[in-house]
Amino acid sequence: MGADGASPARKSPAAKAVAAAVEDLGFGLYQLVPLFLTGGIFLAEGAEMLVMGSITSLLHRHWELNPAIRGGMVSIVFIGFSVGNFLSGQIGDRFGRRVSILLAYAMIAFFGFATACSQGPGLMIFLRFFVGAGCGIGFPAAYSLMPEVAPSSWRSSLSTLMIGFMPLGELIGALVVLFVDPELDNSARGCSIDRYFPSRALLEPELCAWKTLCEMSAIPAFLFFILACRFMDESPQFLANCGRFDECLEVLQRIAKLNGSELDVEKLRVAFSASADEDEGEPGALSPSRSYSFRSTLAELCSGDFLPVVSFMCLAHVAKDFSVFGLSYMLPQYFVFLKNLVAKDQASAVATLALPGVVLTYFCSRIPGVSLVYWMSGSGALCSFFGLGMLKAAPDTSAAPAAYMVKLLAMSYFVFTVSYTTAAFPARIRQTAVGLCTAAGRMGSISAPLVFELSKEVTGGFDFFLGCLMSLMATVALLAPLFLPRWGQAEEAQLLLDFGKGAEETYAACKSSA
């Protein structure tokens, strides 16, 4: 596999030249633009998810919701995530990463804002599904875009920083709750539909708190949508694979200008001409201008070298979602000793726990020559180990430190899993592959609240939930080095330039490398 996950022999001349050009142009000011504009997806999702927990508490008072409805308001977002993840690849590999991200921002903003007009749980659940679907469409697109605009030595680091926007969004959501209703005890005054109009809650936040929270949580997505429309470029790899060479050249020239680098335009034109000549005959499956087919892409992912990687990464994403989203649901209730803190302080504390994990993961990703497989396996193993300190049988003094470490390491595992998934597949089918893996992973986030509630109901504690989390992490940690090809950043850069080897030989070399 090459630096973008593709076997070099399977790339068109244009795709090879673009990958080499991005490598040569290096890291600079340009990469900060897509980092910020894709990070907004994670920021908006983090803010929405935290605020939604507060909204559910307020609605329980206003609408007298039973436990099934309250749980449904949370689970429906993750179901929407899964549907959006599944659709994302078909949108992104057909129409582009930029289209997917703009659609995601539009859906999060519009449907998030529209939830303020709900007058019953049915409409609320319906609208929250589409908020989740918007996030689901955006995540694989963001995961796919960053590796395609950054040199190999910076891909994991930029993915880490991008995902770090999620806990930042949670902190922003906590501040919104602090501003609107820190005790989550707002009355139903001003919540009737006859007094509501769009943006009224922003103008009169002292009235119906849950409507104000709905509108405020949608503001980040609106702002990022406007900025992305103006400043976000399409992936040069996607443009090259589609035969849109003039647009691809414009993007690469913009990268060179902002990074202060020199672009070999003539070399690119020769490669683009060679790709165009290849397309004069009957278009093949790897033709840059081929029509996207979900059926053929799925068949490719389910055959040959890709199948074991796809299968294992689906399991890895289940563990990722079960741990990260399950802990977000569990920890506020686990920290029962924080009884003197109001709701917003507990939310802030839980969100802040993820930030050291982002910092740690960033520094780990800067270590050259270490395979992402080992980082993923190691973080999963440590997360499982520290989970022992959270069990009922463990000393009370270990509970809080162990919980902090589990939250930190779960976030690190999240980043390494995403980084590996984007690196493992070629650009022409990357978003479909990432979408399928993340869609499968949503089974973890959908099941986590249910497993947690069953654990509390049946056992009276958290041990069953923690046992499931530890088992998933330990399984991935043990099996990842056995099932996944391994390469480090230095090997990626070298493989990018090695066009002579066949696909099978290249894959075998990656799988045997440490």
Side-chain angles (χ1 to χ4, degrees), residues 41-42 44-45 49 76-92 100-101 103-105 107-108 128-144 166 320-321 325 431-432 434-440 442 445:
I41 293 285
F42 297 85
E45 188 272 344
M49 288 303 301
I76 196 65
V77 178
F78 294 119
I79 295 172
F81 275 2
S82 183
V83 174
N85 289 154
F86 181 78
L87 296 175
S88 181
Q90 301 173 60
I91 297 170
S100 300
I101 292 172
L103 178 60
Y105 280 133
M107 291 181 67
I108 296 170
R128 295 306 299 179
F129 170 84
F130 286 99
V131 173
C135 291
I137 290 172
F139 276 28
Y143 295 154
S144 300
M166 185 184 297
K320 167 183 72 69
D321 280 23
F325 293 107
Q431 194 166 329
T432 299
V434 173
L436 290 175
C437 292
T438 51
R442 295 305 177 188
S445 55

Side-chain angles (χ1 to χ4, degrees), residues 37-38 41 84 87-108 133-142 144-145 148 224-225 228-235 238-239 242 244 247 431:
L37 295 177
T38 56
I41 293 285
L87 296 175
S88 181
Q90 301 173 60
I91 297 170
D93 284 336
R94 187 188 301 272
F95 301 109
R97 292 29 167 158
R98 184 176 185 272
V99 171
S100 300
I101 292 172
L102 292 179
L103 178 60
Y105 280 133
M107 291 181 67
I108 296 170
C135 291
I137 290 172
F139 276 28
S144 300
L145 178 64
E148 294 171 8
F224 277 102
F225 175 76
C229 285
R230 175 64 180 84
F231 297 108
M232 175 169 282
D233 289 329
E234 183 55 84
S235 160
F238 174 81
L239 294 173
C242 292
R244 295 158 59 180
E247 297 173 65
Q431 194 166 329

Side-chain angles (χ1 to χ4, degrees), residues 3 22-23 147 150-156 366 489-490 492-494 496:
V22 170
E23 197 75 24
S152 59
S153 60
W154 278 92
R155 286 171 186 154
S156 295
R366 300 305 303 149
Q489 294 170 355
E492 287 183 5
Q494 178 60 37
L496 178 65

Side-chain angles (χ1 to χ4, degrees), residues 280-339:
E280 287 182 359
E282 182 179 352
L286 300 178
S287 169
S289 61
R290 80 195 194 289
S291 297
Y292 172 83
S293 169
F294 177 71
R295 180 177 298 179
S296 62
T297 300
L298 187 62
E300 184 176 359
L301 290 172
C302 293
S303 62
D305 293 333
F306 287 126
L307 182 58
V309 178
V310 171
S311 301
F312 189 86
M313 292 315 297
C314 286
L315 172 63
H317 278 267
V318 170
K320 167 183 72 69
D321 280 23
F322 189 92
S323 60
V324 171
F325 293 107
L327 287 170
S328 295
Y329 188 83
M330 168 198 167
L331 286 180
Q333 300 180 59
Y334 184 78
F335 292 146
V336 292
F337 56 88
L338 299 177
K339 293 180 180 179

Side-chain angles (χ1 to χ4, degrees), residues 334 386-405:
Y334 184 78
F386 281 103
L388 294 172
M390 298 178 66
L391 297 175
K392 184 181 294 186
D396 292 341
T397 54
S398 73
Y404 299 151
M405 290 302 300

